[in-house]
Amino acid sequence: MTPDDAALTDAPEELPATPGFEELGITGPVLKAIRDLGYETPSPIQAATIPTLLSGRDVVGMAQTGTGKTAAFALPVLERLDVSQKTPQALVLAPTRELALQVCEAFESYASRMKGVHVLPVYGGQGYGVQLSALRRGVHVVVGTPGRIMDHLAKGTLDLSELQYLVLDEADEMLKMGFAEDVEQILAQTPEEKQVALFSATMPPQIRRLAQKYLRDPEEITITSKTATNKNITQRYLVVSYSQKVDALTRILEVENFDGMIVFVRTKNETETLAEKLRARGYSAAAINGDVPQVQRERSVNQLKDGKLDILVATDVAARGLDVERISHVVNFDIPTDTESYVHRIGRTGRAGRTGDAISFITPRERYLLKHIEKATRQEPTQMQLPTTEDVNSTRLSRFDDAITTALGDAARIESFRDVIAHYVRNHDVPEADVAAALAIVAQGDTPLLLDPADDQLAKAVAADNRPPRERTTREPREPRTERRGRGDYSPYRIEVGRRHRVEPRQIVGALANEGGLGRDDFGAINIRPDFSIVELPANLDPAVLDKLSGTRISGRLIEIRPDRGPGARRSAGPRDGAGRGDRFERRDRDDRPRRDRDDRPTRDDRSDKPFRKPRHKSGS
Ligand code: AMP
């Protein structure tokens, strides 16, 4: 290919043309909102789901976070919303409050061009007051966790009689968290005539049964991705939360030996803002997206080819078929919504038999995507570390050295300045090295040449993202965890519901997870005693979480959670509310049980024979 050829080619690996949102049936204010957000094309799950939902048919969709599934169900709901109806028209059930809030925010952004649409998050841990007054004022969409929705239904404060759309989001997670019964009860309390969409990352038999029972002739939508592999591309990833991405990218740009680079982001707006930020940091960067006229896009691409530009910040659409040999690096600033796009993106490097580097930023919640990438590329991306301040400093010093060496090569100019310097040294009686240092200050300006390793806030923040979720202090939502916690990491907590109250472990996990924002792996053994239960929770549980949990009810009873100090303490202190009840219980237990069982704290045996230690192993229950 000659440099004059069109840089945007119809390469064979070009993504197939996808219909736009308009062709899927999205119109008016919803379409405008999507344009405001800078979404260029629907993601595969959106392309498949939106027309089906708009046609009124139920949907079972296999999709995870990051695929764009929220818009896949939210857009059709909003498209058909009757704003004049004040009782809830749509209900979305989500397993955690983080997800519920996220879905709410998404709904609000998609409804930003509509007038008077009210979306209400309803989750445990938040006072009822706000929820009740909002419900009284009238809401169109309710997004909630099953436990709290059940509470509202029991209190008669949530009217689902006019409900038309029901969405089960991350259905498998909801079941794993012990919400199966709640979900079924909620389903049973909604009108017959409604549309249901169920989204789940996996399709265990339980979910299939649920779908068969409550959905009518649903269309099953699974997004399969073509696999492709390009062995000359090295794939790496960095776990980093959204707010640190720009700084992390800047650091990578400093130390990585790159020639030309494409940085992929999700939306048109982001191409502009990121390119601007990179320019402000001294890089030659330009944005290309579907809104940039073709002529200008080609100009930017040609500049990249000729080395007049080093970085293109692009969306998938703008980079279709892009073929520039000089691109040594592809950075997925945002991971794409499907693996097909991923494969296409990284294929922009490693052209013409060269090697290429692909670096992907993965937020802690997106870690699971690595498995998909691995499957799609048949290559395991390796985790990279954020370049340290030392790495950055040594690159800066060698660049500084190189600049001196290059300047020294310009003999004529060196000659002309030598006299000026000699004159200064003679008149001011300063060593030449000091004059050189002073000139370095002039050249460097106010920006320090080196970073201070003792003040590396970015490394601290990125390290926090890379710690197991339990230890994280950032606001990044939790993600499913795979590693097991060691025994010493848990502490026993006592809650005032037991076998007598017909409580089951999954209810405990569901309620505590929901109200306290805990993840499944925050639970150790659960030992249900006749009148109370002992639950193992992280030893370093934030007192604020405990505070929130204290108002939780299970089976209608206030759980009054508190650290358990063992049977001795239980005997002397007793439960806070029941005069003497604890004593009676302890005596009976002491008398009736074999000696080795007297300690109510969970033992190793408890742990091994309690399958609910990890609720996700309970599938099929
Ligand atoms: P979700 O899977 O719904 O959590 O969406 C993941 C992310 O993709 C969110 O940040 C959305 O804003 C974004 N997103 C969803 N659909 C699109 C699209 N068609 N184009 C670009 N970004 C999208």
Side-chain angles (χ1 to χ4, degrees):
M1 184 185 248
T2 69
D4 295 325
D5 285 345
L8 296 164
T9 65
D10 290 328
E13 69 273 44
E14 184 178 345
L15 287 175
T18 36
F21 283 101
E22 214 166 349
E23 285 133 85
L24 297 180
I26 301 298
T27 63
V30 186
L31 191 63
K32 277 197 195 121
I34 298 246
R35 293 211 173 116
D36 293 344
L37 287 168
Y39 292 4
E40 283 187 320
T41 43
S43 71
I45 188 84
Q46 291 162 359
T49 308
I50 292 172
T52 310
L53 286 179
L54 284 177
S55 76
R57 193 166 165 195
D58 287 0
V59 160
V60 172
M62 277 253 271
Q64 276 176 307
T65 308
T67 52
K69 69 175 158 59
T70 316
F73 62 76
L75 302 182
V77 165
L78 291 172
E79 183 69 33
R80 294 168 298 165
L81 204 73
D82 174 3
V83 184
S84 65
Q85 183 191 313
K86 298 290 184 211
T87 46
Q89 285 163 66
L91 172 65
V92 182
L93 292 180
T96 63
R97 82 168 112 179
E98 281 94 0
L99 185 65
L101 285 169
Q102 229 171 283
V103 171
C104 260
E105 278 170 24
F107 259 103
E108 275 160 3
S109 64
Y110 303 140
S112 63
R113 293 291 201 117
M114 297 168 77
K115 282 210 175 69
V117 174
H118 297 290
V119 185
L120 179 69
V122 169
Y123 54 87
Q126 190 194 35
Y128 281 91
V130 190
Q131 298 173 2
L132 287 176
S133 51
L135 284 169
R136 268 196 294 268
R137 277 196 305 273
V139 293
H140 301 97
V141 181
V142 175
V143 185
T145 49
R148 187 53 78 92
I149 295 285
M150 277 298 287
D151 287 348
H152 277 286
L153 288 174
K155 284 182 201 291
T157 43
L158 177 63
D159 176 5
L160 295 183
S161 62
E162 304 292 324
L163 196 79
Q164 292 169 48
Y165 313 109
L166 180 67
V167 180
L168 306 177
D169 197 7
E170 300 197 358
D172 48 355
E173 283 294 310
M174 281 198 280
L175 299 204
K176 277 183 209 160
M177 291 182 75
F179 288 132
E181 246 171 70
D182 287 349
V183 169
E184 290 214 34
Q185 284 201 29
I186 295 166
L187 276 160
Q189 292 187 44
T190 53
E192 268 287 296
E193 283 303 316
K194 64 174 178 301
Q195 190 178 17
V196 186
L198 181 155
F199 289 90
S200 192
T202 56
M203 275 298 151
Q206 246 181 318
I207 304 275
R208 293 223 165 271
R209 275 200 299 275
L210 195 74
Q212 268 159 14
K213 195 163 163 193
Y214 294 100
L215 276 67
R216 273 185 298 193
D217 181 31
E219 176 157 332
E220 292 209 11
I221 293 169
T222 307
I223 303 302
T224 53
S225 54
K226 277 190 270 166
T227 58
T229 174
N230 192 346
K231 290 273 183 267
N232 56 347
I233 300 169
T234 310
Q235 298 180 60
R236 286 174 289 167
Y237 69 93
L238 178 73
V239 179
V240 57
S241 47
Y242 188 81
S243 52
Q244 266 86 46
K245 282 185 181 180
V246 176
D247 288 335
L249 176 61
T250 315
R251 216 174 254 202
I252 288 169
L253 292 176
E254 285 224 35
V255 302
E256 198 74 19
N257 205 354
F258 73 95
D259 200 2
M261 179 182 282
I262 298 207
V263 180
F264 281 98
V265 293
R266 274 194 188 125
T267 64
K268 292 183 249 193
N269 306 356
E270 275 173 305
T271 58
E272 305 285 357
T273 47
L274 184 58
E276 184 52 50
K277 281 181 188 157
L278 292 179
R279 282 195 295 269
R281 289 167 189 227
Y283 294 97
S284 60
I288 56 168
N289 61 54
D291 278 356
V292 175
Q294 181 73 8
V295 184
Q296 197 180 322
R297 269 199 261 171
E298 287 191 12
R299 194 185 315 132
S300 294
V301 173
N302 282 328
Q303 284 178 334
L304 183 72
K305 273 185 169 180
D306 304 342
K308 290 186 190 125
L309 198 63
D310 292 326
I311 304 171
L312 278 184
V313 186
T315 53
D316 288 301
V317 166
R320 267 186 199 157
L322 197 95
D323 189 7
V324 177
E325 278 182 33
R326 198 178 150 241
I327 297 172
S328 62
H329 282 67
V330 166
V331 171
N332 287 307
F333 190 83
D334 297 315
I335 203 80
T337 46
D338 61 303
T339 46
E340 211 170 305
S341 297
Y342 177 88
V343 169
H344 177 268
R345 283 179 180 191
I346 70 167
R348 297 312 94 207
T349 181
R351 312 293 294 176
R354 295 186 180 201
T355 56
D357 277 276
I359 297 175
S360 299
F361 288 173
I362 308 256
T363 66
R365 215 181 135 77
E366 289 166 344
R367 266 183 221 248
Y368 71 88
L369 285 169
L370 291 165
K371 286 263 170 307
H372 299 241
I373 292 173
E374 194 181 326
K375 229 168 108 189
T377 58
R378 299 198 197 104
Q379 240 180 317
E380 194 179 352
T382 52
Q383 181 162 14
M384 70 182 283
Q385 301 304 320
L386 179 79
T388 62
T389 48
E390 284 84 359
D391 296 335
V392 173
N393 287 347
S394 84
T395 324
R396 287 188 185 179
L397 284 173
S398 57
R399 276 209 206 106
F400 191 76
D401 286 357
D402 289 349
I404 297 174
T405 312
T406 311
L408 284 173
D410 190 346
R413 292 179 78 196
I414 288 288
E415 195 53 46
S416 66
F417 276 113
R418 187 177 283 132
D419 285 347
V420 180
I421 301 298
H423 181 259
Y424 188 95
V425 168
R426 264 197 317 277
N427 279 348
H428 294 84
D429 193 22
V430 245
E432 284 179 347
D434 284 10
V435 177
L439 289 174
I441 293 175
V442 174
Q444 185 70 20
D446 288 338
T447 327
L449 175 65
L450 301 177
L451 298 176
D452 177 6
D455 184 31
D456 193 355
Q457 299 303 329
L458 180 62
K460 282 185 200 145
V462 173
D465 290 330
N466 282 273
R467 272 203 292 276
R470 171 179 60 91
E471 297 173 31
R472 268 194 244 136
T473 52
T474 62
R475 273 167 287 131
E476 197 64 42
R478 289 165 194 279
E479 54 166 336
R481 228 175 299 153
T482 48
E483 78 267 33
R484 284 184 170 237
R485 207 189 285 274
R487 171 137 188 94
D489 300 340
Y490 291 101
S491 289
Y493 288 84
R494 175 182 166 126
I495 57 172
E496 299 303 320
V497 277
R499 203 171 299 130
R500 207 158 62 78
H501 314 108
R502 297 174 184 274
V503 69
E504 286 184 42
R506 58 188 183 159
Q507 282 171 288
I508 297 176
V509 173
L512 299 191
N514 206 12
E515 302 279 330
L518 300 174
R520 280 178 282 131
D521 279 7
D522 286 325
F523 292 86
I526 297 175
N527 189 353
I528 299 188
R529 310 299 315 165
D531 282 84
F532 63 92
S533 302
I534 304 297
V535 185
E536 284 191 337
L537 295 173
N540 57 354
L541 194 69
D542 186 345
V545 172
L546 206 57
D547 222 37
K548 262 188 241 158
L549 288 176
S550 62
T552 305
R553 284 176 188 275
I554 299 177
S555 300
R557 275 180 68 83
L558 209 54
I559 62 168
E560 300 196 56
I561 190 165
R562 61 182 184 276
D564 181 58
R565 295 193 176 78
R570 248 178 258 148
R571 268 193 296 281
S572 54
R576 275 180 299 188
D577 65 344
R581 200 185 71 201
D583 284 341
R584 212 169 52 239
F585 159 76
E586 289 301 343
R587 247 193 320 275
R588 193 185 61 211
D589 260 10
R590 268 205 312 280
D591 293 339
D592 294 347
R593 281 180 300 152
R595 200 172 179 79
R596 68 177 171 83
D597 276 346
R598 284 187 189 167
D599 189 339
D600 285 317
R601 273 189 282 187
T603 60
R604 277 206 183 282
D605 293 346
D606 287 325
R607 299 167 71 85
S608 55
D609 65 15
K610 295 266 186 300
F612 42 80
R613 179 169 178 251
K614 289 236 165 205
R616 68 165 158 275
H617 296 319
K618 285 195 307 118
S619 67
S621 66

